Amino acid sequence: MAYSALSMHNSVYQRRRIINRLMLTVSLGALVFGLFWLFWIILTLLTKGAPALSFALFTEITPPPGQTGGLLNAVVGSLMMAGIGTLIGTPIGILAGTYLAEYGQRGWLAPATRFLNDVLLSAPSIIIGLFIYAVYVAQVGHYSGWAGALALSILVIPVVVRTTDNMLLLVPNSLREATAALGCPKYRMITLVCYRAARSGIITGILLAVARISGETAPLLFTALSNQFMSWNMNAPMANLPVVIYQYAASPFKDWNDLAWAGATLITLLVLGINILARNLFRK
């Protein structure tokens, strides 16, 4: 009781108590402020996009103005390019992250690679699109789904590299030492012990990379462009949800605007679902 009474009259204690309450209030206000805009965005998307969700949205292609239609060709194009981009970027990212965590303890190459990877991770996606346009699209002379997949794969790589590197560094060295003591080669130690221990974290990084590329518009504008019709040809311009949303949202036609809201709702729900799945895997 004497200590409590002394603390109440201590000027240092009182100042720290006031600062603590002030910072808690500011933090809570920032949290409420951020959640307010997040819920407003989600509510707006659901309010304007949910009524446009229908069976025809997934069975019909994008229509001309004044007619009904769906987003089948855009959904298929997005799935194909995102899938191929993930298949290209994931092995490269995992192997690069493995080198950084398991072989790059000495020398200058690993720190330099981490720095460049961080730069690539924060680079605007439109820069990636312009790069693929310059080295691929301009050389072959036409837009294509392959160019879009290459642009998306470059966006996948830094996310997977960072996650793989961090997750493998969290694996206890005692597991590596025990494996080495049994005479196991290092490559088998990595594949049988380290990868299994860091599996959930690596999968989480891959899912987060997929969530990132699902809504990218800028790189696809310079690579895949779009296609009004259904196309499975990866060597030709291909429709995709982000570009269709961009085009339809800016159009003066109400039916196209409704399809843009529906497409934005689809992407939002997809990204939200992937993030929830990734967090659940990370917890396990």
Side-chain angles (χ1 to χ4, degrees):
M1 293 296 292
Y3 175 76
S4 178
L6 181 62
S7 298
M8 294 298 294
H9 295 286
N10 190 321
S11 60
V12 176
Y13 171 78
Q14 291 295 334
R15 184 173 66 254
R16 290 178 177 177
R17 186 180 181 185
I18 293 173
I19 293 175
N20 180 62
R21 289 184 176 180
L22 177 62
M23 296 307 298
L24 286 175
T25 303
V26 172
S27 300
L28 181 60
L31 174 65
V32 173
F33 181 77
L35 290 178
F36 169 76
W37 296 107
L38 175 62
F39 284 117
W40 193 357
I41 292 173
I42 294 177
L43 180 62
T44 302
L45 282 173
L46 293 178
T47 302
K48 296 189 176 183
L53 296 177
S54 63
F55 182 72
L57 192 72
F58 302 97
T59 57
E60 299 180 11
I61 65 173
T62 50
Q67 298 186 16
T68 60
L71 297 172
L72 175 61
N73 53 332
V75 172
V76 171
S78 290
L79 291 177
M80 291 179 63
M81 285 186 286
I84 294 175
T86 303
L87 290 177
I88 295 174
T90 297
I92 298 174
I94 291 178
L95 292 176
T98 302
Y99 169 79
L100 295 178
E102 302 295 338
Y103 297 95
Q105 290 85 359
R106 299 178 181 177
W108 58 270
L109 182 58
T113 304
R114 286 191 179 95
F115 174 75
L116 293 177
N117 186 75
D118 291 342
V119 172
L120 184 60
L121 187 63
S122 58
S125 59
I126 192 172
I127 302 300
I128 307 300
L130 289 172
F131 170 74
I132 297 299
Y133 177 85
V135 301
Y136 182 81
V137 176
Q139 304 303 318
V140 299
H142 61 85
Y143 299 97
S144 66
W146 290 117
L150 286 175
L152 296 180
S153 68
I154 295 179
L155 296 173
V156 168
I157 291 174
V159 180
V160 179
V161 170
R162 168 63 71 85
T163 308
T164 303
D165 183 19
N166 290 341
M167 292 301 104
L168 289 177
L169 289 176
L170 292 177
V171 177
N173 283 328
S174 57
L175 293 178
R176 296 182 176 87
E177 294 169 355
T179 307
L182 295 174
C184 182
K186 189 166 185 176
Y187 77 93
R188 291 183 63 86
M189 178 266 292
I190 295 173
T191 55
L192 298 179
V193 177
C194 295
Y195 280 166
R196 290 185 180 182
R199 177 174 53 191
S200 61
I202 295 175
I203 294 175
T204 299
I206 297 172
L207 292 177
L208 292 177
V210 173
R212 181 189 178 187
I213 65 175
S214 298
E216 288 291 349
T217 305
L220 298 180
L221 282 171
F222 296 96
T223 53
L225 197 59
S226 188
N227 192 338
Q228 190 71 24
F229 306 99
M230 188 69 190
S231 175
W232 299 89
N233 184 11
M234 290 289 293
N235 200 36
M238 180 168 285
N240 53 88
L241 272 176
V243 174
V244 168
I245 292 171
Y246 169 76
Q247 294 174 340
Y248 281 20
S251 71
F253 308 108
K254 185 180 182 305
D255 51 346
W256 280 15
N257 296 154
D258 294 338
L259 285 177
W261 282 111
T265 304
L266 284 178
I267 290 181
T268 302
L269 294 177
L270 174 65
V271 173
L272 183 62
I274 290 177
N275 278 275
I276 293 175
L277 178 62
R279 290 184 179 275
N280 288 333
L281 286 175
F282 185 75
R283 287 179 181 177
K284 294 179 181 180

